[in-house]
Every structure is written in structure tokens, then in C-alpha cells.
Amino acid sequence: LYADPLGRFTVLSVVWRPGQGTPVHGHTAWGAVGVYSGRPSVANYRLVCDGAVELACEAVCAPGDITCVQPGIDYPHRVYNAGDDVAITVHTYGRDLVADPASINIPL
């Protein structure tokens, strides 16, 4: 949707079909995510021994809800559309994703 010309942040939209989601991951930059439509779930995890993760909490979001992400692997999470309708989210990340779109995620 928008890329800051100085590379400080990027705004993008993600369309989630029913059943689509991300793997558990962290981020390489700060971020904020708003729900435009649908009811996606956000599951937050905590790191346990040997790099394993366990579910800490999960919330079903509604249009207008906003969540934020911290940089690093210490804040693993995943987004999933468990609903029957398409969900649309708007993401702002504190880095240039035009040059390297995959650089925002840290897979676990």
C-alpha cells in the first residue's frame, strides 16, 4: 500500500482466505496490525527449553482491532483465519520491505 521513500516503514495489506495462516514466527522490526474485515485469530507463544514454543494466549480479532509486534524471536506468534469468510488485515512494519519482502519474518 505504501513504502516510505527513506525505507523507514512499509504498509501492506494481507488477504486471508478461510483456513490460511502463517507458521509461528517472530519479526525483524516493530510492527502494527489492524483488522479491516473478517475475524482472524492471533496466537501468541512463549519460548520454552531447546527452542520449542508453547501457546501463551489466543484472541479472535474483529474489524477495528489493532495489535502490535516487537522485533526478535522472543515474541513468537501466528495469524490464522479460522472463519468462513475472507479476512483482510493492514500491516505496518518498521523496515523497507520493497527491497526484500521476506526479510520481515523470523521463522521458528
Side-chain angles (χ1 to χ4, degrees), residues 16 21-28 43-45 53 69-70 72-79 91 93 104-108:
W16 308 88
T22 68
V24 178
H25 64 282
H27 286 287
T28 58
N44 292 305
Y45 295 82
V53 295
V69 296
Q70 300 293 323
I73 61 168
D74 294 333
Y75 306 98
H77 62 279
R78 77 181 293 253
V79 179
H91 303 239
Y93 294 113
I104 192 63
N105 289 339
I106 303 170
L108 298 182

Side-chain angles (χ1 to χ4, degrees), residues 19-41:
Q20 282 188 313
T22 68
V24 178
H25 64 282
H27 286 287
T28 58
W30 61 265
V33 179
V35 178
Y36 178 76
S37 67
R39 299 188 57 82
S41 295

Side-chain angles (χ1 to χ4, degrees), residues 38-63:
R39 299 188 57 82
S41 295
V42 176
N44 292 305
Y45 295 82
R46 66 177 139 265
L47 297 173
V48 293
C49 62
D50 298 326
V53 295
E54 66 182 16
L55 182 64
C57 63
E58 186 169 5
V60 176
C61 300

Side-chain angles (χ1 to χ4, degrees), residues 93-108:
Y93 294 113
R95 70 176 302 141
D96 183 359
L97 296 179
V98 174
D100 187 3
S103 66
I104 192 63
N105 289 339
I106 303 170
L108 298 182

